[in-house]
């Protein structure tokens, strides 16, 4: 039992209220674990799959996943974290998005263990009386406590009244389906808690709330020991879409920084905690970070395109990119020419070659690149005041940055 | 036309936007003039009839009155001017109240010229989508601009979300019925303007908004040239219910202060402006204020109980109350006894009788009352430090207050 609990909470940001999940699990019956998704965007990227993977953990532990396609709520639009009103989507758009979303979600979830619902099923039945009754169960000030709403209110940016409906209706989904647990990203915490509150007010047993972290983009980096970077999104162009071709997916995964790759393992991989710990130890022991990253890339491609596609994507990556791959840490050498800094001379100055004549030979053999351009002329001048990325050798290649001092 | 306009705006507090009513009237077609009433309280008092009388003015000028019984909105409860949430009424309660209200309203309105509707007719048809669409047309900050809401929000008293529905649904009534003018008390200004806004947002021609003053209670008085007093209400016990028996209604009308009686004429009477001006001149010329008040009392009783009942009520009032009626202005006399202040002695001291023996004789004949109690003993002591209301004589009776100085 403690083992099962550990795998269920791995990577979760918050589980509220404390101790409640243990108590529910102890009942020994399958729990109803809800995720509400709004088919507002047709394509899912890996950021969306963090919570899906968490749902999958519940499925693997024998629980029932209730996946709610918010075909009504999508029309209202979730104002969470939004600084402005979202446009209302047309019914056709939502329908098309819902189908795509569903297909994609089933690449992470075990479709045979999903209770798939659309919330128009019960929201369309709500009368004006029901809506008034729902609204009567919540106060304006509680709504305005929400960060995004309070900021918009304080800054006099319009909040339209129907935006208040969103958390209420998402919460009403839990009332209608009597869920035990609701999952969502950390940006959904308020909405999930509204659901919990409402269940109590409708005389139901309030759900447990579990949030998962918001995944950063492939451009995330570590600064002062902290992961920094925008969340993964199409608009920031730092996403890996789960519909992308295998090669594209693999290539994008390999762009993830060496420092942050374990964040992606924790939130995306289905490897056990022990396996991930082993990989971390391997890295510390000097294993090539690119190899470790390739394991993640393979796993992701395999999940969405199958094993064969993953093998091919890895091979293709090796062929096309590996020789050009630049490691994260590149030594920097400063050279101080008295006259023109010829490239062969600079390579020797930076100790990348044993002698200027070796440099010339390498250049003539096509074994030197400067800023991605293959050198042909050993006397090619490097400009003072600039820094160049230099690759030397094609098999046991070395990388360096050469900074040319001004004269 | 200007004459008709004058009678339509007489006694109105605000007509918005300026000039619009004239333009609409110039169209020459009957206007649709809306009043929405919530059957929250079963009994109508004269305060409620101010706006009904104004509607009657429109009827008399050939317009169509659209009377909406808010059988849906009553359930939500109008938060206007409320410092707290109103309890939701049961459907049965609302139904019973609606029937009573309707009956009573038709004592002021010409029932043959009323389009009587209940707003569940269209609100019950609203789907969750329609409700979201309605809410999308208004913002939170516009709602919170309303005085009662902003006060409650600032003071951290709960505003429940469904309270925001009230103005929207009242406004939606205008959208559904395409009204030209909506009437309401001054406390309804915000709601009426929401209706106007919404009509524009639904592509309808926005209604004109007309408010009528809130009538004070029968205990209103003039202070520093201003009418002061709580609004007429059952809870302040300063109301005249239109279902009250003729005698009760007459008696209560006669309690209205002489100074404020013309406020009641303006807001309640169906007399013309000229007739009211004549009465004012009469009063200035010294006509007994009680006579003028009796004209109002008769008119009101006649409206709700018929002419014969009014005549009887007036006669009954004369018989029972007139001899006991205390004028507004009563002279005050101070008496300074050296020992016990006997009542006969005090009457002489206050010059209410020519001599103490006349006082004794009057008392023995039952012609003297002190604080409403008939005196039998001329030597009855008046206590030092107190003030007594004294009536002397039964036909040509005099009133005075006698203040007994402390010894």
């Amino acid at each position: 039992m403690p083992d099962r609990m550990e795998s269920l909470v791995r990577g979760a940001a918050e589980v509220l209220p404390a101790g409640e999940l243990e108590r529910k699990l102890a009942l020994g019956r399958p729990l109803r674990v809800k995720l509400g998704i709004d088919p507002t965007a047709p394509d899912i990227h890996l950021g969306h799959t963090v919570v899906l993977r968490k749902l999958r953990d519940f499925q693997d532990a024998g629980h029932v996943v209730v996946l709610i396609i918010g075909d009504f709520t999508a029309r209202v639009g979730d104002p969470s974290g939004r600084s402005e009103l979202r446009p209302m989507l047309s019914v056709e758009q939502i329908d098309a998005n819902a189908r795509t979303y569903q297909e994609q979600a089933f690449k992470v979830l075990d479709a045979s263990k999903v209770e798939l619902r659309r919330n128009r099923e019960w929201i369309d039945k709500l009368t004006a009386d029901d809506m008034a009754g729902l609204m009567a169960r919540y106060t304006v000030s509680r709504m305005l406590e929400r960060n995004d709403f309070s900021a918009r209110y304080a800054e006099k940016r319009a909040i339209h009244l129907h935006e208040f409906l969103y958390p209420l209706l998402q919460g009403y989904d839990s009332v209608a389906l009597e869920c035990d647990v609701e999952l969502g990203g950390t940006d959904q915490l308020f909405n999930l808690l509204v659901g919990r509150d409402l269940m109590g007010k409708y005389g139901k047993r309030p759900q447990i709330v579990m949030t998962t972290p918001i995944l950063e983009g492939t451009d995330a980096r570590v600064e002062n020991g902290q992961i920094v970077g925008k969340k993964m999104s199409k608009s920031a162009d730092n996403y890996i879409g789960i519909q992308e071709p295998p090669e594209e997916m693999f290539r994008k995964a390999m762009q993830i920084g060496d420092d942050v790759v374990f964040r992606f393992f924790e939130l995306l991989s289905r490897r056990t905690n022990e396996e991930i710990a082993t990989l971390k130890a391997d890295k510390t022991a000097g294993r090539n970070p690119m190899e470790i990253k390739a394991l993640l890339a393979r796993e992701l491609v395999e999940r969405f395109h199958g094993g064969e596609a993953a093998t091919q994507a890895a091979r293709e990556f090796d062929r096309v990119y590996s020789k050009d791959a630049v490691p994260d840490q590149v030594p920097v050498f400063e050279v101080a020419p008295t006259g023109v800094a010829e490239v062969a001379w600079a390579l020797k100055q930076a100790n990348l070659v044993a002698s200027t004549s070796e440099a010339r030979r390498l250049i003539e053999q096509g074994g030197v690149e400067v800023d991605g351009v293959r050198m042909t002329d050993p006397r090619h001048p490097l400009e003072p005041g600039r820094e160049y990325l230099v690759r030397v050798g094609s098999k046991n290649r070395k990388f360096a940055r050469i900074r040319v001092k001004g004269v």
Side-chain angles (χ1 to χ4, degrees), chain A:
Chain A
M1 188 67 78
D3 274 3
R4 195 185 299 172
M5 179 69 196
E6 199 177 303
S7 80
L8 290 180
V9 302
R10 163 180 140 189
E14 283 197 273
V15 186
L16 297 171
E20 190 82 5
L21 184 59
E22 287 87 328
R23 274 194 290 278
K24 280 247 167 149
L25 289 172
L27 297 176
R29 66 165 173 87
L31 301 181
R32 293 172 63 74
V33 185
K34 170 196 173 195
L35 177 71
I37 49 178
D38 273 356
T40 41
D43 289 319
I44 305 190
H45 55 60
L46 289 181
H48 299 121
T49 70
V50 175
V51 71
L52 291 173
R53 197 199 60 93
K54 179 49 62 195
L55 275 183
R56 177 64 191 247
D57 290 339
F58 276 93
Q59 284 188 319
D60 291 349
H63 303 288
V64 178
V65 159
V66 183
L67 187 66
I68 301 177
I69 305 277
D71 58 346
F72 185 91
T73 33
R75 199 160 143 67
V76 172
D78 185 3
S80 290
R82 294 270 159 175
S83 57
E84 271 169 34
L85 175 67
R86 281 154 80 126
M88 279 198 180
L89 293 180
S90 77
V91 174
E92 294 71 28
Q93 250 177 313
I94 288 169
D95 232 53
N97 292 354
R99 273 193 306 275
T100 319
Y101 196 106
Q102 200 167 304
E103 253 171 50
Q104 298 179 44
F106 285 170
K107 294 191 171 171
V108 181
L109 297 175
D110 177 350
S112 72
K113 292 181 192 160
V114 170
E115 179 180 324
L116 183 69
R117 311 289 284 264
R118 294 190 170 205
N119 64 8
R120 279 202 180 273
E121 193 188 319
W122 47 91
I123 296 179
D124 275 353
K125 285 188 195 128
L126 293 180
T127 62
D129 279 291
D130 296 332
M131 293 286 276
L134 177 59
M135 294 174 72
R137 288 176 167 86
Y138 228 76
T139 68
V140 173
S141 52
R142 291 287 304 270
M143 278 293 164
L144 283 177
E145 276 165 18
R146 219 173 79 160
N147 293 342
D148 37 19
F149 282 147
S150 62
R152 283 164 66 186
Y153 185 66
E155 292 164 21
K156 300 197 192 304
R157 274 174 294 136
I159 303 166
H160 288 75
L161 286 178
H162 73 294
E163 298 185 73
F164 279 1
L165 274 185
Y166 191 94
L168 292 181
L169 290 173
Q170 171 167 340
Y172 188 76
D173 290 347
S174 297
V175 173
L177 295 184
E178 309 202 348
C179 300
D180 295 300
V181 184
E182 183 172 4
L183 264 62
T186 47
D187 57 353
Q188 288 294 310
L189 181 63
F190 181 91
N191 292 351
L192 304 186
L193 289 173
V194 171
R196 184 175 156 80
D197 273 5
L198 284 179
M199 289 177 88
K201 286 175 179 170
Y202 277 94
K204 311 273 182 182
R205 189 183 295 271
Q207 65 189 9
I208 293 162
V209 157
M210 181 187 284
T211 58
T212 51
I214 307 291
L215 184 67
E216 291 79 13
T218 49
D219 55 353
R221 291 289 176 264
V222 169
E223 272 176 26
N224 304 323
Q226 291 257 309
I227 297 175
V228 293
K230 284 186 188 168
K231 71 176 188 178
M232 184 173 285
S233 73
K234 214 162 182 175
S235 58
D237 196 23
N238 61 1
Y239 71 105
I240 304 179
I242 73 169
Q243 299 273 59
E244 295 196 79
E247 294 75 26
E248 189 72 358
M249 198 178 260
F250 198 100
R251 187 186 61 78
K252 285 186 170 183
M254 294 305 285
Q255 287 173 349
I256 295 169
D258 292 347
D259 301 347
V260 296
V261 71
F262 286 105
R263 167 86 169 168
F264 287 76
F265 266 108
E266 269 166 21
L267 296 183
L268 298 174
S269 167
R270 303 203 56 231
R271 282 179 160 79
T272 64
N273 289 345
E274 291 69 32
E275 288 172 303
I276 294 175
T278 305
L279 288 175
K280 278 189 183 168
D282 287 356
K283 192 192 167 199
T284 310
R287 185 170 176 187
N288 183 349
M290 296 294 274
E291 268 179 49
I292 294 172
K293 226 183 288 184
L295 291 173
L296 177 71
R298 273 195 69 105
E299 181 182 347
L300 296 174
V301 176
E302 190 172 342
R303 181 177 309 157
F304 299 107
H305 299 285
E308 202 174 319
T311 306
Q312 278 186 8
R315 201 173 299 144
E316 178 69 7
F317 180 83
D318 268 355
R319 196 183 63 78
V320 179
Y321 297 99
S322 266
K323 66 177 167 58
D324 297 325
V326 179
D328 277 3
Q329 302 299 330
V330 173
V332 180
F333 299 99
E334 214 168 58
V335 297
T338 48
V340 173
E342 295 174 356
V343 62
W345 169 85
L347 292 180
K348 165 71 185 81
Q349 291 296 306
N351 281 325
L352 293 167
V353 289
S355 63
T356 319
S357 54
E358 192 197 338
R360 273 197 214 100
R361 197 170 53 252
L362 268 170
I363 290 168
E364 279 151 11
Q365 288 166 355
V368 172
E369 274 181 16
V370 173
D371 284 351
V373 177
R374 184 171 299 180
M375 290 289 102
T376 48
D377 176 10
R379 308 193 62 173
H380 181 88
L382 302 181
E383 290 172 28
R386 280 196 53 193
E387 187 177 290
Y388 295 87
L389 177 66
V390 176
R391 182 178 61 77
V392 177
S394 31
K395 283 228 158 136
N396 295 312
R397 61 196 193 284
K398 294 186 226 165
F399 282 91
R401 293 184 191 282
I402 293 180
R403 197 175 291 148
V404 184
K405 275 199 142 179
V407 282

